[in-house]
Amino acid sequence: MYARVIIDIAHANVDRLFTYEIPEGLAVQAGHRVVVPFGAGNRKTEGFVLALSTETDVDWLALKPVLRTMEPYPALTEEQIALAHWMAEAYHCLLVDALRLLIPAQMRGGRVKEKTVRTVRLRPGADADAEKAALLTKAGVSRAPKQAEVIDLLGQTGTYMSTADICAFIPGAAGAIAALLKKGVLQEEGQETFRDPFRAAEAAPPGEPLPLTPAQQAAFDGIVACVKRGAGTCLLYGVTGSGKTEVYMQSIAHVIAEGGKAIVLVPEISLTPQAMERFRSRFGMRVAVLHSRLSPGERYDEWRRIRLGKVDVVIGARSAVFAPLTGLKLIIVDEEHEPSYHSETAPRYGAAEVAAKRAKLNGAVLVLGSATPSVATYKRGLSGAYQLLTLPERINRQPMPEVQIVDLRSEFLSGNNSIFSAPLHSALGQCLKAGEQAILFMNRRGYSTFVCCRGCGYVMKCPDCDVSMTYHKLEGVMKCHYCGRMACIPSVCPDCGKPYLKYFGVGTQQVEEQLAAYFPGTSAVRMDLDTTRTKNAHQELLSRFMRAEAQVLIGTQMIAKGLDIPNVTLVGVIAADSMLHIPDYRSGERTFQLLTQVAGRAGRADKPGHVIVQTYTPEHPVIGFAARHDYPGFYAYEIAMRRAALFPPYALFLRIVLSGPVEEPLAADAERCAAGLRQAIETALAGAGANPQELLFLEAAPAPVKRREGQYRYQVLAKLARTKHTAAAIRAAYAFHDAQRHVGMSDIEINPGNMF
Ligand code: ADP
Ligand code: ZN
C-alpha cells in the first residue's frame, strides 16, 4: 500500500501529493498525520495523508517509507479532506494552508501533548480490611489513620482515583498515598485527561427547554422540516430579544435526539461565560467550546474530545466551523452579518460560506440568524433561495425600546458645549437617581480624535502612518491606532510655534471624564481596546457592571453584542455619525447594525428601555430606520442604493494592495499591475462571450490609508458586475496574480472586509 502525502511546508513548489510506501505493520489511513523523509537530505518532515493507493508509478528504488504516524487515529475526517480540496479551489490557497486550518496550530510539530494525571488504586487482590489491620498497634490503635482512610476510600470506589480527587475527600492525604505506594498496597497508573475549559462552571443546574411561543414554534418547525430533508439554508431573522437562542437550542436537541451533531458559531466577543453556560446547562458535558481565550492545551483537548466523538455540540468563534465532528446535521451561524466571520488573512475564507459547503457535504442544514441580516443574505431570504423564518416580536411582547434622536447642531447653537445633549443629560440624571444602569456608546477609544493648531492648521500625524494620532489623556500621550506608536504631547504647535493647539473629536476617555464632571460620584467602567488588553480584563469589567458595582458602562462596539443586563434602562449613543461617514459602501449597513444592537441592550427585563441617539445628521434615512426598528424599511432603502450604484451584491470588488518603502517606483508598479490585470480580465470576459462593460471599473490609486507602519500603500481596485461570467474573470485574475507574485504584493482580496 502507498500513502499520498501533502508535506506540511507552505510553498507552492511542494503543494502536491507525494507517494510514500506504508511499511508492514504500520496502520495508516487517509487523514493520518505522518512523519516522512523529505527532500535531498531526507529530513524528517510532517505531512497529511490525503489518500491511499495500491499502485504507484514512482520507481521502487526512489520510493521512501512513511516513518510513523503522529496520532494513533486519523486527525482529519474524509469529509475534511474533501473540504480542504474545495477550499484550495474556492479561496485560491495552497492545499496545505487549507489543511492547517483543520487542526489546532500547536499540534503541528508536536507542541501540545495529552495531559495525564497520576491515579492510584488498591493492588488487585488486596484485602482492604487486612491492610487496615496491619496498621494497628497491639493496643488496637491505628498508627496511620490517614492511610487507613485512603484504604477505606479506595476499597469503596474499587477503581482508580487521582491523587487530587482523594485529597478532596481526605485533606493532606498525599503523604499517606506515597507511603502506601511504597509498601505496594497501592498501584499507580497515568490516565489521560481532558483539560476542561469550563472548570468550576460545571455545577450549572440543568436547564429545561422553555415552551416555545407560536413564532418560535413556526421557526423551529421550519428548521426541523429542513433537517428531515437533510438540506437547505434557513435565515432566522428575529429582532433582538425575540428568543433566537431558544430556537437554536431546541433545534439542536432535536438533531441530537435523532443521533446527529451540531455546530454553533457566534462572534468571538459574544462568547461570554454566560452564553456558554446556557449551552452547558442544556447539553451538559456533550458540549465543546472553541475560542481564543483557551490555552493551547485546552484547545487541543477540546479538539480531541470532538474528534474522538465525545461531544454532540460545538460552540465557538469563526474557526470552529472546521470542528472535526462526524454525523453533522445542523450548523448555526448566529449574528451572521458580523464582519469577523471573514478571515482577514490568507486563506481568506468566510465562515458562513464554509458552513454552507460542510452542510452540503454532510446532508446538514445551515441556519443563519440575525436581528440585522446582511443585505446580501436578506435578499436571498426574500428570493426564496433561503427559507426565511421570522421572529417579529420580543418575548412576552415586550415593546422595543423607545429611541429618541437628538440633533447635535441645535444643541451646539443653543450653547451646549458638553458631549451630553440636554435630553441625554436629564435622562442620565433620572436613571442614576432611580438606581438603574446606563450604557454610553462611543465608537472611538482615547480622548480626542486629533490635535490641530488653530493658528496654522497643523494636525499631528503618525510619522509612519497616514493618519492623525489620537490623544490619550490618562496616559498623557498621543497614540497611533494603526501601529501603536506613542508620542509626547506638544505644548506649542511644532509647525508655527504658537500655543494654539486644540483637541477635536471625542473618545471614550473623554466620555468618562465628562461623566465624572457632570455626575460626580458616579461609578463607571470603560471598555475599549485600551482597557481590555489583558487576558480576562474583558470578562472582569463586564462582570463588575453585571454585579451592579458600576452604574455606567462606557465602551466601543465591543459592548454592543450579547449583553443581557436587566437593570439597564438607558442607552446613550454619543455620536452616531462617526461610523456613517466612513468611506466604505457598507457604512450605512454597519451603522444600522450597530445602532440596532446597541439599542437592543436597553430594557430587556420588566423595565422599559430608553435610547438616545445623538447625531449631526438626524435627517439621514439610516438613522431614522434604526430609531424605528425598521429593518425591512432599511433593507428596501439600502438595496435600492446598491442596485443604483452597482455595489455588492450586484457587483463585487477585487483588490490587490502593493506596499513598499519608496513611493514613486511603487506607484509605477501599481500602474503596471493594473494594466496587466485589466488585460487578463478583459481577455477572459471576451473569451466567455461577455459584454466588456461587465468590468465596471479598474484603477490603480493610493490606498485610503496611504502610509502604514512606514510602508507606502497603493491599491489596484476592480469592480465587476455579478453575472454568470464573474467566475471566469476571477480565475483570470488569480492566474495573472500567480504569474506576477512578488514581494510587497498582497493576495487578491474579494470584497475586502474594510476598504482602507
Ligand atoms: P435573542 O437571541 O433573539 O436576542 P434570546 O434567545 O436571548 O433572544 O431571548 C431573550 C430572553 O427571552 C432570554 O432571557 C430567554 O431566556 C427568554 N426566552 C426565550 N424564549 C422564551 C420562551 N419561549 N418563553 C419564555 N422566555 C423565553
Ligand atoms: Zn502609526
Side-chain angles (χ1 to χ4, degrees):
M1 280 295 256
Y2 306 98
R4 307 274 286 151
V5 176
I6 289 278
I7 302 299
D8 193 2
I9 295 174
H11 196 287
N13 290 350
V14 298
D15 200 48
R16 57 195 168 82
L17 290 160
F18 291 88
T19 302
Y20 286 88
E21 186 172 24
I22 302 174
E24 200 82 27
L26 189 67
V28 177
Q29 282 168 264
H32 258 113
R33 295 195 315 131
V34 291
V35 177
V36 292
F38 186 71
N42 280 335
R43 268 181 70 97
K44 288 183 183 168
T45 312
E46 290 177 19
F48 299 87
V49 178
L50 295 198
L52 299 184
S53 76
T54 48
E55 45 198 81
T56 175
D57 47 13
V58 178
D59 181 39
W60 67 271
L61 275 172
L63 204 57
K64 300 173 199 171
V66 173
L67 298 176
R68 64 183 176 89
T69 52
M70 297 283 292
E71 289 87 21
Y73 51 89
L76 308 175
T77 64
E78 292 281 351
E79 180 233 328
Q80 286 184 306
I81 294 173
L83 187 71
H85 281 294
W86 172 82
M87 287 185 67
E89 181 76 31
Y91 301 114
H92 196 72
C93 63
L94 299 179
L95 193 48
V96 72
D97 280 331
L99 292 166
R100 284 177 177 181
L101 291 173
L102 302 176
I103 56 169
Q106 312 275 342
M107 258 170 90
R108 300 176 39 238
R111 283 166 293 158
V112 278
K113 298 247 166 354
E114 280 113 63
K115 190 173 154 191
T116 54
V117 292
R118 213 173 73 154
T119 57
V120 293
R121 68 167 171 179
L122 232 42
R123 173 174 45 79
D127 176 350
D129 289 332
E131 299 296 349
K132 269 196 308 185
L135 295 171
L136 299 179
T137 59
K138 281 202 190 82
V141 181
S142 181
R143 280 174 285 137
K146 279 259 162 66
Q147 293 186 23
E149 276 187 76
V150 170
I151 291 171
D152 253 348
L153 180 64
L154 288 171
Q156 281 158 22
T157 50
T159 175
Y160 282 104
M161 280 183 87
S162 73
T163 319
D165 284 347
I166 296 174
C167 290
F169 284 97
I170 309 164
I177 294 170
L180 289 168
L181 276 169
K182 206 164 160 200
K183 283 191 272 185
V185 179
L186 298 187
Q187 263 187 356
E188 168 174 41
E189 179 171 288
Q191 246 179 23
E192 186 184 355
T193 64
F194 294 94
R195 284 153 278 215
D196 180 7
F198 285 94
R199 289 197 199 92
E202 71 196 320
E208 290 298 319
L210 302 167
L212 296 178
T213 65
Q216 283 176 320
Q217 185 67 45
F220 172 81
D221 291 344
I223 294 170
V224 166
C226 287
V227 170
K228 275 218 177 71
R229 272 189 292 133
T233 299
C234 301
L235 168 57
L236 180 58
Y237 158 55
V239 300
T240 50
S242 60
K244 293 185 288 296
T245 311
E246 188 62 34
V247 174
Y248 300 152
M249 290 199 289
Q250 297 203 18
S251 306
I252 294 167
H254 171 85
V255 159
I256 294 175
E258 309 259 294
K261 298 188 176 176
I263 295 176
V264 186
L265 299 184
V266 296
E268 178 74 46
I269 199 97
S270 36
L271 259 179
T272 57
Q274 294 89 317
M276 295 186 286
E277 228 10 79
R278 267 170 100 174
F279 280 84
R280 182 69 161 232
S281 71
R282 193 71 63 89
F283 301 107
M285 290 302 288
R286 303 290 294 179
V287 181
V289 293
L290 296 170
H291 57 72
S292 64
R293 296 184 303 279
L294 297 183
S295 68
E298 286 170 338
R299 175 176 302 276
Y300 175 52
D301 286 2
E302 287 295 80
W303 180 89
R304 252 175 341 122
R305 288 207 308 133
I306 300 165
R307 180 69 189 93
L308 300 176
K310 293 179 188 295
V311 304
D312 298 322
V313 189
V314 175
I315 169 164
R318 180 174 71 211
S319 61
V321 74
F322 300 114
L325 287 168
T326 50
L328 192 55
K329 285 288 166 263
L330 180 62
I331 309 178
I332 291 163
V333 181
D334 190 29
E335 314 263 15
E336 68 80 30
H337 61 275
E338 273 295 305
S340 64
Y341 283 128
H342 290 265
S343 170
E344 291 286 306
T345 52
R348 295 176 189 277
Y349 69 92
E353 209 174 18
V354 174
K357 181 66 188 177
R358 284 200 76 181
K360 247 204 193 99
L361 289 170
N362 283 283
V365 174
L366 175 61
V367 175
L368 305 171
S370 178
T372 54
S374 72
V375 292
T377 303
Y378 198 70
K379 184 164 180 281
R380 288 188 193 152
L382 291 182
S383 77
Y386 294 164
Q387 187 178 353
L388 182 56
L389 307 167
T390 306
L391 303 178
E393 285 183 342
R394 286 184 152 188
I395 290 292
N396 298 331
R397 309 216 151 182
Q398 244 189 64
M400 297 301 284
E402 182 209 328
V403 178
Q404 180 183 357
I405 299 177
V406 176
D407 185 348
L408 286 177
R409 291 169 306 192
S410 52
E411 283 290 316
F412 179 73
L413 290 177
S414 68
N416 181 358
N417 273 325
S418 94
I419 61 177
F420 301 122
S421 61
L424 181 55
H425 188 277
S426 92
L428 202 49
Q430 276 173 24
C431 169
L432 295 175
K433 204 145 111 213
E436 294 163 358
Q437 288 177 292
I439 293 179
L440 295 178
F441 177 77
M442 179 65 235
N443 204 23
R444 190 178 281 111
R445 66 197 164 102
Y447 188 83
S448 297
T449 51
F450 61 106
V451 173
C452 177
C453 172
R454 275 184 297 186
C456 71
Y458 164 88
V459 172
M460 187 164 177
K461 286 189 164 187
C462 172
D464 291 331
C465 307
D466 181 33
V467 292
S468 52
M469 297 183 87
T470 303
Y471 175 42
H472 285 241
K473 189 173 184 180
L474 289 178
E475 300 91 323
V477 291
M478 303 293 295
K479 274 191 204 170
C480 169
H481 285 187
Y482 275 96
C483 70
R485 169 190 275 269
M486 296 198 224
C488 299
I489 303 157
S491 52
V492 296
C493 173
D495 237 29
C496 69
K498 301 217 173 71
Y500 294 156
L501 289 177
K502 168 141 176 70
Y503 300 95
F504 288 93
V506 177
T508 44
Q509 284 187 355
Q510 198 175 351
V511 176
E512 190 176 27
E513 185 181 286
Q514 292 216 0
L515 180 73
Y518 285 98
F519 301 96
T522 305
S523 52
V525 284
R526 175 165 60 89
M527 274 180 69
D528 54 31
L529 260 184
D530 296 312
T531 61
T532 55
R533 276 189 214 284
T534 54
K535 192 168 175 229
N536 292 319
H538 185 265
Q539 209 37 62
E540 278 156 19
L541 289 172
L542 213 52
S543 1
R544 267 180 56 200
F545 186 63
M546 299 192 64
R547 289 195 305 265
E549 287 168 23
Q551 261 190 298
V552 182
L553 174 65
I554 301 164
T556 55
Q557 61 249 52
M558 68 172 63
I559 63 171
K561 267 156 242 141
L563 292 181
D564 192 354
I565 302 164
N567 201 31
V568 172
T569 53
L570 175 67
V571 169
V573 177
I574 303 295
D577 313 77
S578 58
M579 4 168 198
L580 204 49
H581 305 306
I582 291 170
D584 190 314
Y585 68 93
R586 284 157 299 202
S587 62
E589 184 175 7
R590 299 258 161 91
T591 300
F592 182 86
Q593 289 163 350
L594 212 47
L595 287 178
T596 304
Q597 270 171 352
V598 177
R601 301 304 124 219
R604 301 267 290 187
D606 47 351
K607 293 171 198 154
H610 185 189
V611 181
I612 293 179
V613 175
Q614 306 190 136
T615 171
Y616 286 100
T617 48
E619 69 285 353
H620 197 291
V622 166
I623 291 183
F625 289 125
R628 293 190 297 277
H629 308 286
D630 182 6
Y631 176 81
F634 160 75
Y635 171 80
Y637 161 83
E638 183 71 21
I639 201 79
M641 299 258 298
R642 302 272 183 102
R643 190 203 300 268
L646 284 174
F647 279 136
Y650 296 99
L652 66 81
F653 285 104
L654 191 151
R655 179 174 71 172
I656 300 173
V657 177
L658 297 97
S659 53
V662 194
E663 185 168 7
E664 287 72 31
L666 186 66
D669 261 4
E671 287 299 342
R672 263 195 303 280
C673 176
L677 186 62
R678 174 179 288 281
Q679 203 199 350
I681 292 178
E682 282 176 349
T683 308
L685 288 176
N691 182 342
Q693 307 280 317
E694 287 184 20
L695 177 57
L696 297 164
F697 169 95
L698 193 152
E699 199 178 88
V705 175
K706 184 174 154 190
R707 218 160 146 253
R708 207 158 158 168
E709 300 182 44
Q711 296 281 305
Y712 285 92
R713 299 163 76 240
Y714 272 67
Q715 67 181 20
V716 175
L717 190 67
K719 190 161 92 165
L720 287 157
R722 233 187 226 292
T723 69
K724 60 178 192 282
H725 308 115
T726 315
I730 292 176
R731 269 197 305 277
Y734 278 134
F736 162 78
H737 184 264
D738 282 349
Q740 284 290 308
R741 191 179 280 277
H742 64 79
V743 187
M745 188 189 267
S746 75
D747 313 311
I748 289 187
E749 295 169 73
I750 307 284
N751 286 341
N754 74 61
M755 302 293 270
F756 313 127

